[in-house]
Structure formats: structure tokens, C-alpha cells
């Protein structure tokens, strides 16, 4: 049936998406390991883990809400803009707390050779981008536009590789 074919196509695209993203992530790890010192790789790994945690904490529940209710909304664009603003503002607020509270809750931001303000811009920007990714995927799924989600994910992963290549020779701030 048409529904089964659509489900098979969507599922296959998502599996391919995860495989490609995983391969690109592995390539990023190899680039980092060969380009930066072990200390810088450790600092970036720890900060990346915290950023993922902050993104998850500040967008919890929003993905399932979007998947469930987007199709029922008369003005889907306004619904998505409100969701994006809410998750970005929450992410920036939590990032500010982590960056500006003395001790940074154990996050090794002191290992970055930048000021606290620059660290906030880096961490806040990373959290905001992660949050946007977290809420756009469910929107594509809710609208049955899985191929857009796959294209976005693979494009973003390739941009990460390009940024890492440009930053070869830099330090953990890169």
C-alpha cells in the first residue's frame, strides 16, 4: 500500500541519516585527535557533552509536542517560531548561568584560552544551534518531509567537518 511504502521510505532515510551522521562524527573525532593536543581534545569533549546536556534539558518535551500538535495548528509557522524562540532563550539562559557562575559547575571552560564572554558566545551559540536542530527534525517528521531532515543533518555535519578543517592548528577555543 501507499502508506507502507511511505513508511518504508521514511524509515530507510532515517537509518541512512543516522549512519552517515555517525560516520561523519567519527571522521570529526579523527580530525580532532590528529590536529589538537590530548588536553584540548579532552576539554572540547567535556564541553561538548555539557552542551548536549544543556540542549536536552532546555528542549525537553518540545520535540514530542511539535510532532503531536503541529499538524493541528492553523498557523504552523507561528507555532514553530514560538517553539524556536522558547528553546533558544531557555538554552541561552542556562548557558549564561553555566558560563558566568564562578566555577562553571565543573565545566572546564577555564581550559579555553578565551574570556568568559567569548566562552558564553561559543557555548550559547552551540546550544542554540543544537536546540534548533532538536526542534526542526520533529517538524519535518510531523509534516512527513523526512528528506528535508536528512538533507539538513548531512549538510550540518559536512559544515562541522569543514569548520574543523579550517581550525586545524588552533587550540580548544576553535
Amino acid at each position: 500500500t501507499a502508506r507502507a511504502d511511505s513508511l518504508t521510505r521514511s524509515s530507510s532515510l532515517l537509518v541512512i541519516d543516522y549512519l552517515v551522521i555517525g560516520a561523519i562524527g567519527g571522521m570529526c573525532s579523527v580530525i580532532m585527535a590528529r590536529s589538537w593536543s590530548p588536553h584540548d581534545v579532552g576539554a572540547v569533549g567535556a564541553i561538548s557533552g555539557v552542551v548536549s546536556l544543556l540542549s536536552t534539558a532546555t528542549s525537553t518535551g518540545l520535540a514530542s509536542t511539535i510532532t503531536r500538535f503541529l499538524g493541528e495548528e492553523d498557523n504552523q509557522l507561528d507555532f514553530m517560531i514560538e517553539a524556536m524562540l522558547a528553546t533558544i532563550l531557555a538554552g541561552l539562559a542556562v548557558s549564561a548561568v553555566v558560563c558566568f557562575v564562578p566555577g562553571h559547575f565543573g565545566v572546564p571552560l577555564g581550559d579555553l584560552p578565551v574570556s568568559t564572554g567569548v566562552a558564553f558566545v561559543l557555548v550559547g551559540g552551540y546550544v542554540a544551534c543544537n536546540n534548533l536542530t532538536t526542534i526542526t527534525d520533529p517538524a519535518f517528521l510531523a509534516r512527513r518531509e523526512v528528506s528535508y531532515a536528512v538533507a539538513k543533518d548531512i549538510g550540518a555535519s559536512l559544515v562541522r567537518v569543514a569548520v574543523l578543517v579550517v581550525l586545524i592548528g588552533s587550540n580548544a577555543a576553535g
Side-chain angles (χ1 to χ4, degrees):
T1 66
R3 180 182 172 155
D5 290 342
S6 175
L7 182 61
T8 301
R9 179 180 175 276
S10 295
S11 299
S12 299
L13 279 172
L14 290 173
V15 168
I16 290 168
D17 184 35
Y18 291 128
L19 291 173
V20 170
I21 288 173
I24 292 173
M27 191 168 50
C28 287
S29 296
V30 169
I31 291 169
M32 283 175 42
R34 294 183 182 267
S35 304
W36 294 341
S37 72
H39 178 267
D40 286 346
V41 171
V44 169
I47 292 168
S48 293
V50 169
V51 166
S52 293
L53 210 80
L54 294 177
S55 294
T56 301
T58 57
S59 63
T60 300
L62 205 48
S64 56
T65 301
I66 289 169
T67 303
R68 169 69 179 91
F69 294 109
L70 183 64
E72 299 171 5
E73 284 295 315
D74 291 330
N75 192 336
Q76 294 181 358
L77 180 60
D78 283 350
F79 183 77
M80 285 305 299
I81 289 172
E82 289 171 7
M84 288 178 191
L85 287 174
T87 188
I88 287 172
L89 291 174
L92 290 175
V94 173
S95 297
V97 169
V98 169
C99 289
F100 294 111
V101 166
H104 311 293
F105 296 104
V107 179
L109 293 177
D111 289 347
L112 297 177
V114 296
S115 69
T116 303
V118 173
F120 168 68
V121 169
L122 294 172
V123 171
Y126 194 5
V127 169
C129 288
N130 272 353
N131 285 359
L132 282 176
T133 300
T134 301
I135 65 171
T136 54
D137 281 349
F140 289 132
L141 294 175
R143 295 175 51 89
R144 293 182 175 86
E145 297 171 342
V146 175
S147 57
Y148 292 119
V150 172
K152 175 201 57 77
D153 289 345
I154 292 173
S157 295
L158 292 174
V159 167
R160 286 184 185 112
V161 171
V163 168
L164 277 175
V165 168
V166 168
L167 294 173
I168 289 176
S170 69
N171 54 23

